Amino acid sequence: MSQFDKLLARIRNLDKNMRFDELRKILEYYGYTMYGPSGGSSHKTFRKPGCVPITIPMHEPIKRAYVELVKAIVESEANDENT
C-alpha cells in the first residue's frame, strides 16, 4: 500500500491527528488549488472550477469538521471515477 493510499485510508477513518499538509496533498491530488491572502492569515482556501471553495485553518491538528469535508470530496471523486 502506497503512502498516498494510507493517507486516503486515514481520511476515510476520520483520523483525529490529520495535519494541514496531508489535507493539502489530497485536495491538490483531486485538482484543487490553494490560495491564501497576502496578509498573515492562518487560513487557506482551496478552489476547483465548478466546486464550492473550501477554507481550512493551518492549525495542528485539524479539527474533525475539516477532515469530514475532505472525506466528502474524496468519496464524491471516487464515485465520479466509477461512473
Side-chain angles (χ1 to χ4, degrees), residues 1-23 25-26 60-64 66-72 74-75:
M1 181 179 268
S2 72
Q3 285 184 343
F4 189 76
D5 291 334
K6 290 178 183 178
L7 189 54
L8 286 176
R10 288 180 60 204
I11 289 284
R12 289 187 179 112
N13 292 330
L14 297 174
D15 188 341
K16 64 180 179 178
N17 294 315
M18 296 296 297
R19 295 186 341 245
F20 177 83
D21 286 337
E22 294 170 329
L23 295 183
K25 285 178 189 177
I26 298 239
E60 305 283 333
I62 299 293
K63 291 185 179 180
R64 182 182 175 113
Y66 299 106
V67 178
E68 289 173 353
L69 282 172
V70 175
K71 178 184 177 188
V74 168
E75 290 173 346

Side-chain angles (χ1 to χ4, degrees), residues 44-58:
K44 301 294 180 187
T45 300
F46 293 87
R47 298 175 194 268
K48 179 179 177 180
C51 296
V52 176
I54 301 167
T55 301
I56 300 177
M58 294 180 62

